[in-house]
Amino acid sequence: MTLTPPRIQLWHKVMIGFVGGIIAGFFLGDSAASLKPIGDLFIRLIKMIVMPLIFFSIINGLSNIKDSKQLGRIGTKACSAYILCTCFAICLGMLAAWVFQPGSGLTLQANSSQTLEVFKPLEMLLNIVPENALGAMAQGSILQVVFFSIFCGITIISMGPKARPIIATIRNLTEFVLTMIRIIIKMAPIAAFCLMAWCVGTQGLAVIISLSKLVAAGICAFIVQYFIFGGIIAIWGRLSPIPFYKKSLEYQAMAFSTSSTKAALPITMEVCHKKMGISKLSASFILPLGATLNMDGLAIYLGLCVLTFAQAAGQVLTPYDYGIIMFTATLGSIGGAGIPSAALVMLPMILGSVNLPLEGIALIAGIDRLMDTFRTTISITGDAAVALVVDSSEGMLDKEKYYE
């Protein structure tokens, strides 16, 4: 009998590169700075793909939400709940960064072009609208590209059946961009090695302590969010959260082991309908919608990382910056559904919108797989919690089955 050796997955390679970079940086010292350009290449490739990713993924996502009109009130409730949960999760991630201060041991060079701005809501809204859509893409004006993408998506939805060829083309282009991302992400192990070696070689082992604080802050935020779901069920669903927690372990185990909400979605739908008593309508509509819109775990992590990098760069964020972070992180968490290494791909959009350095992204590549297991578990749990609450509010929940 011939034994087939286990396949080494990408995250295994990233971890090897991460640990190898620490060791190399320790021995090479300042000379490890020569490895930084290789890591910078990875960052440039990520930045190169951000604009087309934002444009096509937002349009593609909006074209999939048309069912919310058909299902009326249920779709509106679900979408509103998902957006509110995402915004709260971002705030929770930023709060965790403020409490743990994981960026205090890191040193990143602040962008010299950063200027403090007074928060002017009207001016902020006006500047979101581009004078030239193609110019906004060329100049990297992220918010303007986001606005144009949303406008395109809404226009496509309003066209009805006539838009089907356009939607098919957009989906193909989205898949094309995602394929490019998968190719770029394969460089992550090398980038993690080079940038980790550079970081440890020039800054010492203090960076390792800071990453440990980042992991601890993230896990604490995830735990808090997990129990907040129970509060939502108790307050808005008027149900005891105990049966929810007991019956959620099955799909949570799948999410934790695969780090994929898509992989966990079928079993989540089955558990919610057959064991929790959620109606088939809600299970078949709200849960897939949540897999597209609701990424609470990713939202927490994005908020946490952005403030961590701001601390590392010694950059004081203004109320204007926080408003931009909330907006872009919400879109980033929504657009991150189904994207491999979503945090690494979406962070450049958020960091760029407030002029924060991107060099720290590859530094967290080594811990991304670990954090992704928790992010996915929290996200899929949030999907089920919202489905339960909406179903209960519509009087469709089988409460006898829920309390069995």
Side-chain angles (χ1 to χ4, degrees):
M1 178 177 173
T2 304
L3 295 177
T4 303
R7 182 182 178 184
I8 300 178
Q9 299 181 22
L10 178 63
W11 73 270
H12 293 144
K13 297 177 183 178
V14 171
M15 286 301 299
I16 293 171
F18 181 80
V19 175
I22 294 173
I23 297 172
F26 181 77
F27 285 103
L28 293 176
D30 291 337
S31 61
S34 60
L35 297 173
K36 187 173 180 290
I38 301 175
D40 289 341
L41 175 62
F42 175 75
I43 299 296
R44 281 178 171 266
L45 289 170
I46 290 289
K47 290 172 66 177
M48 175 187 72
I49 205 65
V50 164
M51 288 302 165
L53 172 65
I54 294 170
F55 181 71
F56 292 119
S57 64
I58 289 178
I59 296 176
N60 184 53
L62 286 174
S63 68
N64 291 327
I65 305 175
K66 57 183 179 293
D67 286 341
S68 63
K69 290 185 178 180
Q70 300 172 0
L71 295 177
R73 187 171 59 251
I74 295 176
T76 301
K77 285 183 179 180
C79 291
S80 300
Y82 285 144
I83 297 298
L84 288 174
C85 285
T86 297
C87 292
F88 181 83
I90 295 167
C91 293
L92 182 59
M94 292 192 290
L95 177 62
W98 180 77
V99 172
F100 284 83
Q101 295 289 309
S104 59
L106 293 170
T107 302
L108 296 175
Q109 185 176 0
N111 291 333
S112 57
S113 59
Q114 175 73 11
T115 57
L116 298 180
E117 298 185 59
V118 179
F119 185 52
K120 299 178 181 179
L122 186 60
E123 184 177 339
M124 171 184 166
L125 292 174
L126 184 62
N127 288 336
I128 289 175
V129 182
E131 295 180 352
N132 184 317
L134 295 179
M137 293 183 185
Q139 296 169 10
S141 301
I142 295 198
L143 291 181
Q144 295 182 351
V145 173
V146 167
F147 175 86
F148 182 62
S149 304
I150 293 174
F151 183 71
C152 288
I154 293 173
T155 304
I156 288 173
I157 292 173
S158 68
M159 292 173 63
K162 294 180 180 179
R164 287 175 184 170
I166 301 175
I167 293 174
T169 301
I170 291 294
R171 287 177 179 170
N172 288 332
L173 288 171
T174 303
E175 182 58 34
F176 170 67
V177 173
L178 290 175
T179 302
M180 293 178 69
I181 290 173
R182 295 185 188 105
I183 294 172
I184 294 172
I185 289 297
K186 289 181 180 179
M187 282 188 60
I190 300 173
F193 173 84
C194 294
L195 287 174
M196 203 65 220
W198 160 71
C199 193
V200 172
T202 56
Q203 300 181 33
L205 293 177
V207 66
I208 306 302
I209 299 174
S210 294
L211 289 177
S212 300
K213 289 165 65 177
L214 179 64
V215 172
I219 292 176
C220 286
F222 294 146
I223 292 173
V224 171
Q225 182 69 38
Y226 186 73
F227 286 107
I228 286 174
F229 291 143
I232 292 173
I233 293 170
I235 296 172
W236 282 283
R238 297 182 179 181
L239 300 165
S240 169
I242 302 301
F244 173 79
Y245 284 132
K246 287 182 178 179
K247 297 178 180 181
S248 293
L249 294 177
E250 189 175 351
Y251 67 78
Q252 287 172 349
M254 175 64 72
F256 189 86
S257 60
T258 63
S259 297
S260 171
T261 53
K262 298 295 190 296
L265 183 58
I267 192 171
T268 306
M269 294 172 66
E270 182 179 0
V271 168
C272 286
H273 177 54
K274 295 184 177 180
K275 296 185 178 181
M276 292 190 192
I278 295 175
S279 67
K280 191 171 184 179
L281 173 63
S282 295
S284 61
F285 170 63
I286 297 179
L287 289 173
L289 182 64
T292 303
L293 289 180
N294 188 49
M295 292 286 140
D296 293 332
L298 177 59
I300 289 173
Y301 192 63
L302 291 176
L304 172 63
C305 287
V306 171
L307 255 67
T308 297
F309 294 156
Q311 293 165 3
Q315 191 163 305
V316 179
L317 298 177
T318 66
Y320 177 89
D321 293 328
Y322 283 108
I324 296 295
I325 290 170
M326 285 294 299
F327 181 71
T328 54
T330 299
L331 292 173
S333 61
I334 293 173
I339 295 177
S341 302
L344 302 181
V345 175
M346 289 300 172
L347 268 172
M349 175 182 74
I350 306 166
L351 296 173
S353 67
V354 289
N355 204 28
L356 283 170
L358 305 184
E359 283 75 12
I361 294 175
L363 300 182
I364 63 171
I367 61 173
D368 187 67
R369 171 64 183 188
L370 171 65
M371 301 304 285
D372 197 20
T373 58
F374 293 101
R375 293 197 304 257
T376 306
T377 304
I378 291 298
S379 295
I380 200 70
T381 304
D383 294 345
V386 169
L388 176 64
V389 171
V390 172
D391 204 58
S392 178
S393 71
E394 291 292 317
M396 298 188 296
L397 178 69
D398 186 344
K399 293 186 179 180
E400 290 185 5
K401 184 178 290 186
Y402 178 74
Y403 284 110
E404 282 180 356

